[in-house]
Amino acid sequence: MPDAGRPTAPPSAGAGAGAGAGRRVGVIGLGIMGGAMAARLLEAGHTVSGFDIDAAALARFSERGGTACDSPASAAQGAEVLLLMVHDQQQVERVLEGPSGALKRLLAGSVVWLGSTVPPACAAAWAERLAERGIGLIDGPVSGGATGAEGGELVAICGASDEALARAGFALRACTRHVYHVGPPGAGATVKMINQLLVAAHAALTAEAMALAHRAGVEPLQLIEVVSNSAGQSRIFDKRAPRIAVGDHAVHVSIDTLRKDLGIAIDTARQLGLAPRLALGVQALLDEASGAGQGADSDTRLIERYLVPRGPR
């Protein structure tokens, strides 16, 4: 493995695991991200079993050639790598050790790739618990959104041992463009948390900027071109602003997902004695949107919170 923190191509899976060798993977959580990642694994020639509580997601997965399962345990049966792409820490715990949890079927020598964004302490604790069973853990949240997942262009931010990364290399290769090995389990969640602090802030500020442009009568597409070539540019602005301008609110990242991720950053900052001043302002906006029934909507709809008619101040 390269030095910790340096980007690299996804690691080799080791001897006997050539590009054409089909391997067994379980995927739990077949939503926007997990469903696209499962499709990439299938396209790479691997045998993929999957579980989701959403029947429609399971049906889409089955249509792509995956084996739909009725429980996390069934999806984990015989898996060399088990990818978890569920919403939060509580769902991770439920799918691993619930009544039909994956731990009932995972074998020693397998690897759990924890792709969900969870608190760093959660990832570190699960690494210890799985190690007692001879199971590796990759604390490997991903960045790149729906388009990155669909194109196999995700960035994986991994806290793991070299051994676990090597064993799961075939799965990482199928889904990612870069793997960053940032330290032991817990480190991946920490770096992703900081990344999401910036994502949430940039998404909120993009909505605010586009609302200001709307009220000021600025032509939105021209504004986008100017900002994208000026100092105010950000990757989030480049992705969100054009969609806001044309009213494209397909869900790539939901408001509640940003809200959950930002909450992890705020809680951790407070634990470390840091006052997350800007983050708290963004959280208030996300809370407002979620409370108005927009939690499952695209984060591009944050602009609507600025355009809601308000009484005199």
Side-chain angles (χ1 to χ4, degrees), residues 123 137 142 146 150 183 236-237:
L137 178 88
V142 296
E150 290 164 2
I236 294 299
F237 182 88

Side-chain angles (χ1 to χ4, degrees), residues 46-62:
H46 303 304
T47 300
V48 186
S49 299
F51 172 76
D52 198 290
I53 59 173
D54 182 356
L58 270 179
R60 288 192 295 270
F61 170 66
S62 183

Side-chain angles (χ1 to χ4, degrees), residues 96-116:
L96 283 176
E97 62 178 0
S100 300
L103 282 181
K104 298 180 185 300
R105 303 285 178 84
L106 281 173
L107 300 176
S110 61
V111 175
V112 172
W113 174 4
L114 178 53
S116 307

